[in-house]
């Protein structure tokens, strides 16, 4: 018997592609000063968001984003059958504490900054597998909660390296439903392998993740027999300026022709004068770009076919101290207008 | 079989490393150095002004030095608390790390950051995150030198 | 006046070396490593008798950088060894640097109680 739902090595095809029926994104103040201000649903006035710690602020950010996405379809949280969610903090507490309030059956995901794609494809499998009809995929990241966990205390006077990226404060939530509605559909997804070419610099995650993105994109195109210009836009999650420059060179090396129309959420997120060095990063980077400008452009018909390749660097401060290199991963989800 | 696969992997990693080092932006060395020199120099000049004042007040050179450290540490703690020292550090780099004010900043920043985890195991424990290693190595070297002196005298 | 100029030049130069170390070596060098390096090298140079001339020349330019703190530790230790031998090797460093260490911990704690991190 031929497996109809899997094609090639790593790609899953959805028979009845789930539809993205509603989405929302809330971002931090700095992200709100960037080029996409009008495309975000809501911009936080400050990083505390009315809470007493960065972690609480992040959990509230995620919770409010899910509520906002759900309310756009006039649903209540209890109308949602499954929440697939993740974030960057230890034990993904932002997600589980948000789920505690929302009281939606909950699956936690950790894929570092690749979590948005991981959550979307898991949600889509749950729907196309016939188990659920209405699932929310959501992620969050918060600059200061990530900074204190992965790098330095926020008040310490340190100089950031030129290749370092700025963790985006932002959350994105997408409501996926069994395909009876119009709207962008999640047609197929490629689950990435971990690629580690020995990069160790925790201040340069773009370089560590670029080979994983290159591998996943190449595998996706060959699994689906699609030319690279099949997509109006291939967008990676958060390679930043350094990583996306590397990926372009890897495209050439891997023979990905014609050169795809390619961009990166980390590069797009901020203006050059915002002093973020190599661009944005974090789960919230690809999530808020997707749930803000990118899906808006799909609805407007400016983008018909989008391949989101969210990238993650799966290290921890402990493994970095122990001298381990950084394992990179990338998952691709294809979004297509009907 | 395994060794050749390992070798291929090694070569691949090396090739990629070369690509990365070509692509990676270099630190703005000249600008960083000027900032470090000027800010570091100014902090030391401020130290000298305070030192001269205490010596003028009749303190011994040794006591005046200690008092200067205390004043600088106080100023650094205050500036860190107000959220200014990290802004300075972003530009000054080593210029605001190397002086004793940088030591104080590292202590205060670590302590403040973990206030939300409580005053005992948050502030109390984390205050030594950077101060601890610094003092350990400082003590170790000085004790070693002291022991050498004990042995050879 | 000239004491201020030498303090500026020598202090600035010591910081410049730190910047070169951070920018030209591997990226894993954090401010913590710089502080550890300066205090250790300062203590060592002081033991070799090489740091005192710099202090004589530059005053605060040599004592304010953390290498000066290492110098204080070593000089305290050496002085205490002369007075009380082996016990001095252990107690001398802390005695000489007590004001700085205690001030840092006290002000650090007070600042943490009074202020919240702003990010």
């Amino acid at each position: 018997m031929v497996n109809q739902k899997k094609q090639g090595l790593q790609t899953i095809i959805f028979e009845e592609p789930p539809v993205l029926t509603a989405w929302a994104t809330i971002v931090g103040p700095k992200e709100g000063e960037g080029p996409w201000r009008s495309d975000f649903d809501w911009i936080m006035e400050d990083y505390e968001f009315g809470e007493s710690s960065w972690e609480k602020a992040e959990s509230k950010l995620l919770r409010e984003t899910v509520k906002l996405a759900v309310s756009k379809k006039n649903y209540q949280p209890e109308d949602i059958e499954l929440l697939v969610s993740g974030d960057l903090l230890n034990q993904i507490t932002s997600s589980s504490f948000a789920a505690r309030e929302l009281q939606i059956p909950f699956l936690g995901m950790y894929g570092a900054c690749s979590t948005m794609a991981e959550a979307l494809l898991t949600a889509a499998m749950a729907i196309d597998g016939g188990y659920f009809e209405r699932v929310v995929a959501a992620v969050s990241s918060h600059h200061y909660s990530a900074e204190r966990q992965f790098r330095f205390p926020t008040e310490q006077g340190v100089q950031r390296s030129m290749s370092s990226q700025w963790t985006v404060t932002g959350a994105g939530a997408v409501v996926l439903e069994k395909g009876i509605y119009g709207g962008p559909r999640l047609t197929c997804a490629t689950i990435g392998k971990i690629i580690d070419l020995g990069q160790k610099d925790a201040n340069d995650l773009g370089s560590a993740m670029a080979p994983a993105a290159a591998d996943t994109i190449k595998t996706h195109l060959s699994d689906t027999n699609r030319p690279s210009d099949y997509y109006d836009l291939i967008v990676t999650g958060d390679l930043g300026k350094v990583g996306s420059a590397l990926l372009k060179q890897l495209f050439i090396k891997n023979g990905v022709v014609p050169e795809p129309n390619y961009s990166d959420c980390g590069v797009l997120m901020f203006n050059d004068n915002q002093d973020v060095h190599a661009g944005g990063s974090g789960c919230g980077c690809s999530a808020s770009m997707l749930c803000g400008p990118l899906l808006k452009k799909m609805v407007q018909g400016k983008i018909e076919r989008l391949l989101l390749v969210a990238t993650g660097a799966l290290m921890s401060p402990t493994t970095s101290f122990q001298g381990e290199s950084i394992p990179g991963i990338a998952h691709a989800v294809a979004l297509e207008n009907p | 079989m395994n060794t050749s696969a390992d070798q291929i992997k090694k070569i691949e990693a090396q090739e990629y490393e070369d690509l990365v080092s070509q692509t990676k932006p270099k630190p703005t060395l000249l600008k960083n150095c000027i900032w470090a020199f000027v800010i570091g120099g100014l902090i030391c000049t401020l130290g000298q002004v305070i030192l001269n004042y205490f010596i003028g007040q009749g303190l011994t050179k040794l006591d005046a030095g200690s008092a200067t450290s205390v004043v600088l540490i106080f100023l650094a703690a205050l500036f860190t608390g107000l959220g200014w020292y990290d802004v300075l550090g972003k530009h000054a780099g080593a210029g605001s790390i190397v002086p004793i004010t940088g030591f104080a900043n590292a202590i205060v920043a670590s302590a403040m950051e973990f206030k939300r985890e409580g005053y005992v195991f948050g502030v109390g424990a984390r205050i030594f995150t950077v101060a601890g290693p610094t003092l350990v190595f400082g003590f170790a070297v000085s004790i070693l030198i002291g022991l050498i002196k004990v042995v050879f005298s | 006046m000239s004491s201020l100029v030498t303090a500026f030049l020598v202090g600035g130069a010591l910081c410049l070396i730190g910047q070169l170390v951070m920018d030209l070596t591997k990226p894993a060098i954090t401010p913590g490593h710089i502080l550890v390096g300066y205090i250790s090298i300062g203590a060592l140079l002081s033991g070799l008798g090489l740091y005192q001339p710099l202090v004589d020349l530059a005053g605060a330019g040599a004592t304010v950088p953390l290498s000066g703190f290492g110098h204080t530790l070593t000089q305290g230790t050496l002085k205490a060894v002369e007075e009380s031998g082996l016990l001095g090797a252990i107690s001398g460093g802390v005695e000489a640097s007590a004001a700085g260490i205690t001030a840092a911990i006290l002000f650090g704690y007070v600042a943490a109680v009074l202020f919240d991190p702003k990010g």
Side-chain angles (χ1 to χ4, degrees), chain A residues 48 52-54 148 153-159 162-163 197 199 201 204 207 210-211 242 245-246 249 253 275, chain B residues 13 15-17 19-20 23-27 32 80 83 86 90-91 93 97 105 109-110 112-114 116-117:
Chain A
E48 267 141 7
S52 60
S53 74
W54 310 130
R148 68 181 291 213
T154 50
E155 295 299 333
Q156 195 172 341
V158 290
Q159 220 160 23
M162 291 312 286
S163 52
L197 290 185
Q199 290 292 302
D201 184 0
D204 180 17
S207 298
V242 181
L246 283 164
Q249 300 192 48
K253 202 178 148 206
D275 195 30
Chain B
E15 274 179 10
Y16 187 63
E17 179 63 42
L19 194 64
V20 169
T23 313
K24 219 176 199 173
K26 302 282 171 284
N32 286 356
T80 305
D86 61 321
K90 198 173 126 43
H91 298 289
I97 294 169
N105 165 250
S110 314
M112 266 168 82
E113 188 65 62
F114 290 90
R116 285 149 184 167
E117 282 76 19

Side-chain angles (χ1 to χ4, degrees), chain A residues 230-276:
Chain A
Y230 176 86
Y231 294 101
D232 299 317
L233 181 66
I234 295 179
V235 63
T236 46
D238 59 349
L239 294 182
K241 286 178 193 162
V242 181
S244 50
L246 283 164
L247 179 58
K248 281 181 197 165
Q249 300 192 48
L250 292 172
F251 280 153
I252 299 167
K253 202 178 148 206
N254 289 349
V256 175
V257 281
E259 197 176 310
N261 188 3
Y262 163 71
S263 194
D264 176 73
C265 295
V267 174
L268 294 169
M269 176 58 82
F270 294 105
N271 285 322
D272 275 346
N273 60 10
Q274 284 186 285
D275 195 30
V276 292

Side-chain angles (χ1 to χ4, degrees), chain A residues 58-85:
Chain A
E58 181 177 338
S59 190
K60 179 178 174 186
L61 169 66
L62 182 59
R63 189 176 79 223
E64 294 303 318
T65 308
V66 171
K67 280 188 188 165
L68 188 61
V70 167
S71 72
K72 286 186 180 181
K73 284 280 289 178
N74 286 322
Y75 295 142
Q76 298 298 318
E78 51 268 31
D79 298 327
I80 305 299
E81 295 169 291
L82 176 68
L83 172 67
V84 185
S85 173

Side-chain angles (χ1 to χ4, degrees), chain C residues 7-103:
Chain C
F8 178 80
L9 293 176
V10 173
L14 283 172
C15 294
L16 179 68
I17 295 169
Q19 189 69 39
L20 290 172
V21 171
M22 286 204 303
D23 282 355
L24 298 180
T25 56
K26 56 177 185 172
I29 298 280
T30 65
H33 292 97
I34 293 285
L35 291 173
V36 168
Y38 266 75
I39 199 167
S40 308
I41 291 170
L44 190 66
L45 290 177
S46 176
L48 297 170
L50 299 174
Y51 208 83
Q52 190 59 44
L54 197 63
V55 175
D56 295 338
L57 171 75
T63 55
V64 169
L66 213 65
S67 45
F69 203 65
H71 171 66
T72 308
L73 288 175
T74 298
Q75 290 308 313
T77 308
L78 292 177
K79 201 171 150 223
V81 166
E82 274 172 21
E83 285 163 8
S84 44
L86 188 57
L87 188 64
I90 293 175
S91 64
V94 183
E95 268 172 38
S97 59
I101 295 173
T102 313

